[in-house]
Amino acid sequence: MLLDRRLQLFVVLAGVFVTSLVVGDIIGVKLFEAKVGPVVAVMSIGMLPFPVTFLLTDILNEFYGKKAARFVTWVGFFMAIFAFIVIGIAVQVPWAPLTRADDYTGTVENAFNNVFGGSQRILVASMIAYLVGQFCDIAIFNGLKRLTRNRLLWVRATGSTLVSQLIDTVVVQYVAWTGVLPNATIVSIIYTSYVVKLLVAVGLTPFIYLGHAVVERKLGIAPVVLGENGEPLAPPAPPATPAEQSRAA
């Protein structure tokens, strides 16, 4: 198999994408406060790696097309399910008796189960929100790219992320915290999380242009160009070599 730059980049992007998704699911049980002036925002720590998935989705969509972006989305989904199964088995496996000794200083059963048992609910919530948000992001990005005739990268990158992050935030917070936190707290988390995500989406715009420039100019990989029907145009065929021309003759 020929590992050219295009394939190598695809593997790297997919690997970082899946890692960001699974890590965000696992650490998402932690809530933290961020003070922005007089406003105190309560958010899940899982929101730190999740914007990376939307950024990478846009890059995959830009340089490999929506089918490749959807493929990586499904790979991430099934890897999250795999993580969910492994964590579930790990929680159920009996602990060694030595971990219950008073002088044992390692991780104990209650602490482990509290973190990873709780993360299972986050995994379920994030998987539902993830599929809805990612496919929304891909569809909007592709639609805006067609409407702008492959121009205005910032419009499709920011526009698709803003809508998909709103859907993702509402779904994941309600599924994750309903019955655990009061509704007013859940609404507050949704509001503050989305405001922060708006700021992150705007802040990531220069990095999208930077990534676009690195991939196109340094790696020599051209972005996908969409035709009037929204489907990628086939790249022009390379000129025939003298040997190929002689065989054709």
Coordinates of all heavy atoms in Angstrom, one line a residue, residues 10-11 13-22 25 50 52-62 64-82 123 126-141 164 168:
F10 N -4.9 11.9 6.1 CA -6.2 11.4 6.4 C -6.2 10.5 7.7 O -7.0 10.7 8.6 CB -6.8 10.6 5.3 CG -8.2 10.0 5.5 CD1 -9.3 10.8 5.4 CD2 -8.3 8.7 6.0 CE1 -10.6 10.3 5.6 CE2 -9.6 8.2 6.2 CZ -10.7 9.0 6.0
V11 N -5.2 9.7 7.8 CA -5.0 8.8 9.0 C -4.8 9.7 10.2 O -5.4 9.4 11.3 CB -3.9 7.8 8.8 CG1 -3.6 7.0 10.1 CG2 -4.2 6.8 7.7
L13 N -5.6 12.9 10.8 CA -6.8 13.6 11.1 C -7.9 12.7 11.8 O -8.5 13.1 12.7 CB -7.4 14.2 9.8 CG -6.6 15.4 9.2 CD1 -7.3 15.8 7.9 CD2 -6.4 16.5 10.1
A14 N -8.0 11.5 11.2 CA -9.0 10.5 11.8 C -8.6 10.1 13.2 O -9.4 10.0 14.1 CB -9.1 9.3 10.9
G15 N -7.2 9.9 13.4 CA -6.8 9.5 14.7 C -7.0 10.6 15.8 O -7.4 10.3 16.9
V16 N -6.7 11.8 15.4 CA -6.9 12.9 16.4 C -8.4 13.1 16.6 O -8.8 13.4 17.8 CB -6.2 14.2 15.8 CG1 -6.5 15.4 16.8 CG2 -4.7 14.0 15.7
F17 N -9.2 12.9 15.6 CA -10.6 13.1 15.7 C -11.2 12.1 16.7 O -11.9 12.4 17.7 CB -11.3 12.9 14.4 CG -12.8 13.0 14.4 CD1 -13.4 14.2 14.0 CD2 -13.6 11.9 14.7 CE1 -14.8 14.3 14.0 CE2 -14.9 12.0 14.7 CZ -15.5 13.2 14.3
V18 N -10.8 10.8 16.6 CA -11.4 9.7 17.4 C -10.8 9.9 18.9 O -11.6 9.8 19.8 CB -11.0 8.3 16.9 CG1 -11.4 7.3 17.9 CG2 -11.7 8.1 15.5
T19 N -9.6 10.3 19.0 CA -9.0 10.5 20.3 C -9.7 11.6 21.1 O -10.1 11.5 22.2 CB -7.5 10.8 20.2 OG1 -6.8 9.7 19.6 CG2 -6.9 11.0 21.6
S20 N -10.0 12.7 20.4 CA -10.7 13.9 21.0 C -12.1 13.5 21.4 O -12.5 13.9 22.5 CB -10.7 15.0 20.0 OG -9.4 15.5 19.6
L21 N -12.7 12.7 20.6 CA -14.1 12.3 20.9 C -14.1 11.4 22.1 O -14.9 11.7 23.1 CB -14.7 11.5 19.7 CG -16.1 10.9 19.9 CD1 -17.1 12.0 20.2 CD2 -16.5 10.0 18.8
V22 N -13.3 10.4 22.2 CA -13.4 9.4 23.3 C -12.9 10.0 24.6 O -13.5 9.8 25.6 CB -12.5 8.1 22.9 CG1 -12.5 7.2 24.1 CG2 -13.2 7.4 21.7
D25 N -15.5 12.2 26.0 CA -16.6 11.4 26.6 C -16.2 10.9 28.0 O -17.0 11.0 29.0 CB -16.9 10.1 25.8 CG -17.6 10.5 24.5 OD1 -18.2 11.5 24.4 OD2 -17.6 9.6 23.6
F50 N -14.0 18.6 22.4 CA -15.0 18.4 21.4 C -14.9 19.5 20.3 O -15.2 19.1 19.1 CB -16.4 18.5 22.1 CG -16.8 17.1 22.6 CD1 -17.3 17.0 23.9 CD2 -16.7 16.0 21.9 CE1 -17.7 15.8 24.5 CE2 -17.1 14.7 22.4 CZ -17.6 14.7 23.7
V52 N -12.5 20.4 18.8 CA -11.4 19.9 17.9 C -12.1 19.0 16.9 O -11.7 19.0 15.7 CB -10.4 19.1 18.7 CG1 -9.3 18.5 17.7 CG2 -9.6 20.1 19.7
T53 N -13.1 18.2 17.3 CA -13.8 17.3 16.4 C -14.5 18.0 15.3 O -14.5 17.6 14.1 CB -14.8 16.4 17.1 OG1 -15.8 17.2 17.7 CG2 -14.1 15.6 18.2
F54 N -15.1 19.2 15.6 CA -15.8 20.0 14.6 C -14.8 20.7 13.7 O -15.0 20.8 12.5 CB -16.7 21.0 15.2 CG -17.9 20.4 15.9 CD1 -17.9 20.0 17.2 CD2 -19.0 20.1 15.1 CE1 -19.1 19.5 17.8 CE2 -20.2 19.6 15.7 CZ -20.2 19.2 17.0
L55 N -13.7 21.1 14.2 CA -12.6 21.7 13.4 C -12.1 20.6 12.4 O -11.9 20.9 11.2 CB -11.5 22.2 14.3 CG -10.2 22.6 13.6 CD1 -10.5 23.8 12.7 CD2 -9.1 23.0 14.6
L56 N -11.8 19.4 12.9 CA -11.3 18.4 12.0 C -12.3 17.9 11.0 O -12.0 17.6 9.9 CB -10.8 17.2 12.9 CG -9.6 17.4 13.8 CD1 -9.3 16.2 14.6 CD2 -8.4 17.9 13.0
T57 N -13.6 18.0 11.4 CA -14.7 17.6 10.4 C -14.6 18.6 9.3 O -14.8 18.2 8.1 CB -16.0 17.7 11.1 OG1 -16.1 16.7 12.2 CG2 -17.2 17.3 10.1
D58 N -14.5 19.9 9.6 CA -14.4 20.9 8.5 C -13.2 20.7 7.6 O -13.3 20.8 6.4 CB -14.3 22.3 9.1 CG -15.7 22.7 9.8 OD1 -16.7 22.0 9.5 OD2 -15.7 23.7 10.5
I59 N -12.0 20.3 8.2 CA -10.9 20.1 7.3 C -11.0 18.8 6.5 O -10.7 18.8 5.3 CB -9.6 19.9 8.2 CG1 -9.3 21.3 8.9 CG2 -8.4 19.5 7.4 CD1 -8.2 21.2 9.9
L60 N -11.6 17.8 7.1 CA -11.9 16.5 6.3 C -12.9 16.8 5.2 O -12.7 16.4 4.1 CB -12.5 15.5 7.2 CG -11.5 14.8 8.2 CD1 -12.2 14.0 9.3 CD2 -10.6 13.8 7.4
N61 N -13.9 17.6 5.5 CA -14.9 18.0 4.5 C -14.3 18.8 3.4 O -14.6 18.6 2.2 CB -16.0 18.8 5.2 CG -17.4 18.5 4.5 OD1 -17.5 18.0 3.4 ND2 -18.4 18.8 5.2
E62 N -13.4 19.7 3.7 CA -12.7 20.6 2.8 C -11.8 19.9 1.8 O -11.8 20.1 0.6 CB -12.0 21.7 3.5 CG -11.3 22.7 2.6 CD -12.2 23.7 2.0 OE1 -13.5 23.6 2.3 OE2 -11.8 24.5 1.2
Y64 N -11.3 16.2 1.6 CA -11.6 14.9 1.3 C -13.1 14.7 0.9 O -13.5 13.6 0.4 CB -11.3 13.9 2.4 CG -9.8 13.9 2.7 CD1 -9.3 14.7 3.7 CD2 -8.9 13.0 2.1 CE1 -7.9 14.7 4.0 CE2 -7.6 13.0 2.4 CZ -7.1 13.9 3.3 OH -5.7 13.9 3.6
G65 N -13.9 15.7 1.1 CA -15.3 15.6 0.7 C -16.2 15.1 1.9 O -15.7 14.5 2.9
K66 N -17.5 15.2 1.7 CA -18.5 14.9 2.8 C -18.5 13.4 3.0 O -18.8 12.9 4.1 CB -19.9 15.4 2.4 CG -20.5 14.8 1.2 CD -21.9 15.5 1.0 CE -22.6 14.9 -0.3 NZ -23.9 15.5 -0.5
K67 N -18.3 12.5 2.0 CA -18.3 11.1 2.2 C -17.2 10.7 3.2 O -17.4 9.8 4.0 CB -18.2 10.4 0.9 CG -19.5 10.5 0.0 CD -19.3 9.7 -1.3 CE -20.6 9.8 -2.1 NZ -20.5 9.0 -3.4
A68 N -16.0 11.2 3.0 CA -14.9 10.9 3.9 C -15.2 11.4 5.3 O -14.9 10.7 6.3 CB -13.6 11.5 3.4
A69 N -15.8 12.6 5.4 CA -16.1 13.2 6.7 C -17.2 12.3 7.4 O -17.1 12.1 8.7 CB -16.6 14.6 6.6
R70 N -18.1 11.8 6.7 CA -19.2 11.0 7.3 C -18.5 9.6 7.7 O -18.9 9.1 8.7 CB -20.3 10.7 6.3 CG -21.2 11.9 6.0 CD -22.2 11.7 4.9 NE -23.1 12.8 4.7 CZ -23.9 12.9 3.7 NH1 -23.9 11.9 2.8 NH2 -24.7 14.0 3.6
F71 N -17.6 9.1 6.9 CA -17.0 7.9 7.2 C -16.2 8.0 8.6 O -16.4 7.1 9.4 CB -16.0 7.5 6.1 CG -15.1 6.3 6.5 CD1 -15.6 5.0 6.4 CD2 -13.8 6.4 6.8 CE1 -14.9 3.9 6.7 CE2 -13.0 5.4 7.1 CZ -13.5 4.1 7.1
V72 N -15.5 9.1 8.7 CA -14.7 9.3 10.0 C -15.7 9.5 11.1 O -15.5 9.0 12.3 CB -13.8 10.4 9.9 CG1 -13.1 10.8 11.2 CG2 -12.7 10.2 8.8
T73 N -16.8 10.1 10.9 CA -17.9 10.3 11.9 C -18.4 8.9 12.4 O -18.5 8.7 13.6 CB -19.0 11.1 11.4 OG1 -18.6 12.4 11.1 CG2 -20.2 11.2 12.4
W74 N -18.6 8.0 11.5 CA -19.1 6.7 11.9 C -18.0 5.9 12.6 O -18.3 5.2 13.6 CB -19.6 5.9 10.7 CG -21.0 6.3 10.2 CD1 -21.3 6.9 9.0 CD2 -22.2 6.1 10.9 NE1 -22.7 7.1 9.0 CE2 -23.2 6.6 10.1 CE3 -22.5 5.5 12.2 CZ2 -24.6 6.6 10.5 CZ3 -23.8 5.5 12.6 CH2 -24.8 6.0 11.8
V75 N -16.8 6.0 12.2 CA -15.7 5.4 12.9 C -15.6 5.9 14.3 O -15.5 5.1 15.3 CB -14.3 5.6 12.1 CG1 -13.1 5.1 13.0 CG2 -14.3 4.9 10.8
G76 N -15.7 7.2 14.5 CA -15.6 7.7 15.8 C -16.8 7.2 16.7 O -16.6 6.9 17.9
F77 N -18.0 7.1 16.1 CA -19.2 6.6 16.8 C -18.9 5.2 17.3 O -19.2 4.9 18.5 CB -20.4 6.7 15.8 CG -21.6 6.1 16.4 CD1 -22.3 6.8 17.4 CD2 -22.1 4.9 16.0 CE1 -23.5 6.2 17.9 CE2 -23.3 4.3 16.5 CZ -24.0 5.0 17.5
F78 N -18.4 4.3 16.4 CA -18.2 2.9 16.8 C -17.1 2.8 17.8 O -17.1 1.9 18.7 CB -18.1 2.0 15.6 CG -19.3 1.8 14.8 CD1 -19.5 2.3 13.6 CD2 -20.4 1.1 15.4 CE1 -20.7 2.1 12.9 CE2 -21.6 0.9 14.7 CZ -21.7 1.4 13.4
M79 N -16.1 3.7 17.7 CA -15.0 3.6 18.7 C -15.5 4.1 20.1 O -15.1 3.6 21.1 CB -13.8 4.5 18.3 CG -13.1 4.0 17.0 SD -12.4 2.3 17.3 CE -13.7 1.3 16.4
A80 N -16.5 5.0 20.1 CA -17.1 5.5 21.4 C -17.9 4.3 22.0 O -17.9 4.1 23.2 CB -17.9 6.7 21.1
I81 N -18.6 3.6 21.1 CA -19.3 2.4 21.6 C -18.4 1.4 22.2 O -18.6 0.8 23.2 CB -20.2 1.8 20.5 CG1 -21.3 2.8 20.1 CG2 -20.7 0.5 20.9 CD1 -22.2 2.2 19.0
F82 N -17.3 1.2 21.5 CA -16.2 0.2 22.0 C -15.7 0.7 23.3 O -15.6 -0.2 24.2 CB -15.1 0.2 21.0 CG -13.9 -0.7 21.4 CD1 -14.1 -2.1 21.5 CD2 -12.7 -0.1 21.7 CE1 -13.0 -2.9 21.9 CE2 -11.7 -0.9 22.1 CZ -11.8 -2.3 22.2
L123 N -21.2 9.1 28.0 CA -21.0 8.4 26.7 C -22.2 8.3 25.9 O -22.3 8.6 24.7 CB -20.3 7.1 26.9 CG -18.8 7.0 27.1 CD1 -18.4 5.7 27.6 CD2 -18.1 7.4 25.9
S126 N -23.4 11.8 24.8 CA -22.5 12.4 23.8 C -22.6 11.7 22.4 O -22.5 12.3 21.4 CB -21.0 12.4 24.2 OG -20.6 11.1 24.3
M127 N -22.9 10.4 22.4 CA -23.0 9.6 21.2 C -24.2 10.1 20.4 O -24.2 10.2 19.2 CB -23.0 8.1 21.4 CG -21.7 7.5 21.7 SD -21.7 5.7 21.7 CE -22.6 5.4 23.2
I128 N -25.3 10.3 21.2 CA -26.6 10.8 20.5 C -26.3 12.2 19.9 O -26.6 12.4 18.8 CB -27.7 10.8 21.5 CG1 -28.0 9.4 22.0 CG2 -29.0 11.4 20.9 CD1 -29.1 9.3 23.1
A129 N -25.8 13.0 20.8 CA -25.6 14.4 20.3 C -24.5 14.5 19.2 O -24.6 15.3 18.3 CB -25.1 15.3 21.5
Y130 N -23.5 13.6 19.3 CA -22.4 13.6 18.4 C -22.9 13.3 17.0 O -22.6 14.0 16.0 CB -21.4 12.5 18.9 CG -20.5 12.1 17.8 CD1 -19.3 12.8 17.4 CD2 -20.6 10.8 17.2 CE1 -18.5 12.3 16.5 CE2 -19.7 10.3 16.3 CZ -18.6 11.1 15.9 OH -17.8 10.7 15.0
L131 N -23.7 12.2 16.8 CA -24.2 11.9 15.5 C -25.0 13.0 14.9 O -24.9 13.4 13.7 CB -25.0 10.6 15.5 CG -24.2 9.3 15.6 CD1 -25.2 8.1 15.6 CD2 -23.2 9.2 14.5
V132 N -26.0 13.5 15.7 CA -26.8 14.6 15.2 C -26.0 15.8 14.8 O -26.1 16.4 13.7 CB -27.9 15.0 16.3 CG1 -28.7 16.2 15.8 CG2 -28.8 13.8 16.6
G133 N -25.1 16.2 15.7 CA -24.3 17.4 15.5 C -23.3 17.3 14.3 O -23.2 18.2 13.5
Q134 N -22.7 16.2 14.3 CA -21.6 16.0 13.2 C -22.3 15.9 11.8 O -21.8 16.6 10.9 CB -20.9 14.7 13.5 CG -19.8 14.8 14.6 CD -18.7 15.7 14.2 OE1 -18.4 15.9 13.1 NE2 -18.1 16.3 15.2
F135 N -23.4 15.2 11.7 CA -24.0 15.1 10.3 C -24.6 16.5 10.0 O -24.7 16.8 8.8 CB -25.0 14.0 10.3 CG -24.4 12.6 10.2 CD1 -24.6 11.7 11.2 CD2 -23.6 12.3 9.1 CE1 -24.1 10.4 11.1 CE2 -23.0 11.0 9.0 CZ -23.2 10.1 10.0
C136 N -25.1 17.2 11.0 CA -25.6 18.6 10.7 C -24.4 19.4 10.2 O -24.6 20.2 9.3 CB -26.2 19.1 12.0 SG -26.8 20.8 11.8
D137 N -23.3 19.3 10.9 CA -22.1 20.1 10.6 C -21.6 19.8 9.1 O -21.4 20.7 8.3 CB -21.0 19.8 11.5 CG -19.7 20.7 11.3 OD1 -18.9 20.2 10.5 OD2 -19.6 21.7 11.9
I138 N -21.6 18.5 8.8 CA -21.2 18.1 7.4 C -22.1 18.7 6.4 O -21.7 19.2 5.3 CB -21.1 16.6 7.4 CG1 -19.9 16.1 8.3 CG2 -20.8 16.1 5.9 CD1 -19.9 14.6 8.5
A139 N -23.4 18.5 6.6 CA -24.4 19.0 5.6 C -24.4 20.5 5.4 O -24.4 21.0 4.3 CB -25.8 18.5 6.1
I140 N -24.3 21.2 6.5 CA -24.3 22.7 6.4 C -23.0 23.2 5.8 O -23.0 24.1 4.9 CB -24.5 23.3 7.8 CG1 -25.9 23.0 8.4 CG2 -24.3 24.9 7.7 CD1 -26.1 23.5 9.8
F141 N -21.9 22.6 6.2 CA -20.6 23.0 5.6 C -20.6 22.7 4.1 O -20.2 23.6 3.3 CB -19.5 22.1 6.2 CG -18.1 22.5 5.7 CD1 -17.3 23.4 6.5 CD2 -17.5 22.0 4.6 CE1 -16.0 23.7 6.1 CE2 -16.3 22.3 4.1 CZ -15.5 23.2 4.9
S164 N -24.2 23.3 14.5 CA -24.0 22.0 15.0 C -23.7 22.0 16.4 O -24.1 21.1 17.2 CB -22.9 21.3 14.2 OG -21.7 22.0 14.2
D168 N -25.6 20.0 19.4 CA -24.8 19.1 20.2 C -24.9 19.5 21.7 O -25.1 18.6 22.6 CB -23.4 19.2 19.8 CG -22.5 18.3 20.6 OD1 -22.0 18.7 21.7 OD2 -22.3 17.1 20.2

